[in-house]
Amino acid sequence: MLRAFSRRTEYVPDIDPTYQFDRATTLAILAGFTHNRRVMIQGYHGTGKSTHIEQVAARLNWPCVRVNLDSHISRIDLVGKDAIVLRDGKQVTEYREGILPWALQRPVALVFDEYDAGRPDVMFVIQRVLEAQGRMTLLDQNRVIRPHPSFRLFATTNTVGLGDTSGLYHGTQQINQGQMDRWSIVSQLNYLPHDDEMRIVLAKCPEYDSPEGRRTLHAMISLAGLTRHGFMAGDISTVMSPRTVITWAENARIFGSVPFAFRVTFLNKCDEAERHIIAEYYQRCFGSELSDAPAGDLVAA
């Protein structure tokens, strides 16, 4: 039986009515919410891993908090620390909970983004609560926290815990296999088929919903597909995500020029030694050379 909350709170994400759900990933996330499974979603950047969790939570009215496990997130950020506060005009030391014990005691879906970029000391703190009934011991407080019945835990990751050999996701690292074993569901969300991606971009950029606009989007998405195949073959080191295609389409409207928008959206991010390959992709998809022509008139805001 699917559970949901009857009222929305400030922590419930906003509903995006244009969001396109992936069936397998949606089922995995719903299993996490309904059966208290620990769900990890793995895939390339820009495929909508975190957004997928948020949009399911939004439709369940389930509070959802995202934490990016970058290198600046430390153990005390997660667990908590003693802080000096003013009380009745005097400085006193008071314990302030970190995000993990705070969420653990509430009906909250906690999402760890960039899970494979977390520091080892942080990862071992998380390991304590990965069990379905995982309790957390606060040593500084001599207190054991039992998880709220509606607490849920999710993670998104670019790799699957084995590190990155491609160089695309610099800063990621191997995840302890004992910890990986505690994630009860691992779902892959990678780039969608051409027609599905077309629907997503059209939903985000409805101004392209015309015969000419659809032809332009078809060429844009085809070019993105070539960059993905080129990346997998080792020909290029930068890849276009669906997010990049949407940004390119938006920028093309702003600048009044598809090739100029392509340069400032994607080409200028690429290695100079690989730009001729990407220019060839452009020529194959659009039937014209990638010109150096400046942008047209800016579209009024």
Side-chain angles (χ1 to χ4, degrees), residues 80-98:
K81 60 183 178 180
D82 288 328
I84 298 175
V85 298
L86 282 176
R87 196 172 298 281
D88 297 329
K90 298 180 180 179
Q91 289 186 344
V92 296
T93 301
E94 186 177 277
Y95 180 75
R96 294 290 180 88
E97 287 182 341

Side-chain angles (χ1 to χ4, degrees), residues 255-272:
F255 293 112
S257 169
V258 170
F260 182 83
F262 178 68
R263 284 185 176 278
V264 298
T265 303
F266 180 70
L267 189 66
N268 290 346
K269 300 176 183 177
C270 301
D271 189 323
E272 288 190 15

Side-chain angles (χ1 to χ4, degrees), residues 78-80 95 97-106 136 138 143 145:
L78 288 188
V79 177
Y95 180 75
E97 287 182 341
I99 186 64
L100 192 53
W102 177 88
L104 199 65
Q105 300 171 81
R106 289 167 173 80
M136 183 176 185
L138 294 179
R143 185 158 65 99
I145 298 177

Side-chain angles (χ1 to χ4, degrees), residues 120-265:
D121 58 328
V122 170
M123 305 305 281
F124 282 111
V125 171
I126 298 172
Q127 185 165 325
R128 303 180 193 176
V129 298
L130 278 176
E131 301 290 348
Q133 302 301 323
R135 293 177 292 181
M136 183 176 185
T137 303
L138 294 179
L139 299 178
D140 297 339
Q141 298 292 302
N142 294 325
R143 185 158 65 99
V144 176
I145 298 177
R146 290 173 172 78
H148 189 282
S150 295
F151 169 76
R152 298 294 183 267
L153 189 60
F154 297 89
T156 67
T157 172
N158 294 127
T159 68
V160 74
L162 300 177
D164 175 42
T165 57
S166 66
L168 183 63
Y169 300 115
H170 178 71
T172 59
Q173 54 194 325
Q174 292 186 351
I175 300 174
N176 183 301
Q177 287 302 298
Q179 183 168 138
M180 281 296 298
D181 191 52
R182 287 172 166 81
W183 290 96
S184 44
I185 297 176
V186 176
S187 178
Q188 286 193 319
L189 180 63
N190 287 320
Y191 298 122
L192 299 172
H194 185 283
D195 292 342
D196 292 341
E197 190 165 342
M198 174 74 86
R199 284 196 296 271
I200 291 173
V201 180
L202 272 176
K204 296 293 184 182
C205 305
E207 62 272 16
Y208 284 86
D209 195 5
S210 65
E212 181 181 354
R214 285 176 175 267
R215 283 194 295 272
T216 299
L217 287 187
H218 173 79
M220 288 178 170
I221 295 169
S222 297
L223 197 159
L226 289 178
T227 67
R228 294 162 196 168
H229 288 299
F231 168 75
M232 293 174 188
D235 297 330
I236 59 176
S237 57
T238 311
V239 66
M240 289 185 72
S241 69
R243 182 192 298 126
T244 309
V245 177
I246 293 170
T247 303
W248 178 15
E250 293 171 342
N251 286 344
R253 296 287 295 179
I254 293 172
F255 293 112
S257 169
V258 170
F260 182 83
F262 178 68
R263 284 185 176 278
V264 298
T265 303

Side-chain angles (χ1 to χ4, degrees), residues 5-14 57-58 60-65 102 107-108:
F5 289 95
S6 59
R7 291 184 297 176
R8 300 178 67 83
T9 70
E10 60 179 321
Y11 296 109
V12 176
D14 295 329
L60 298 176
N61 285 338
W62 207 298
C64 183
V65 176
W102 177 88
V108 166

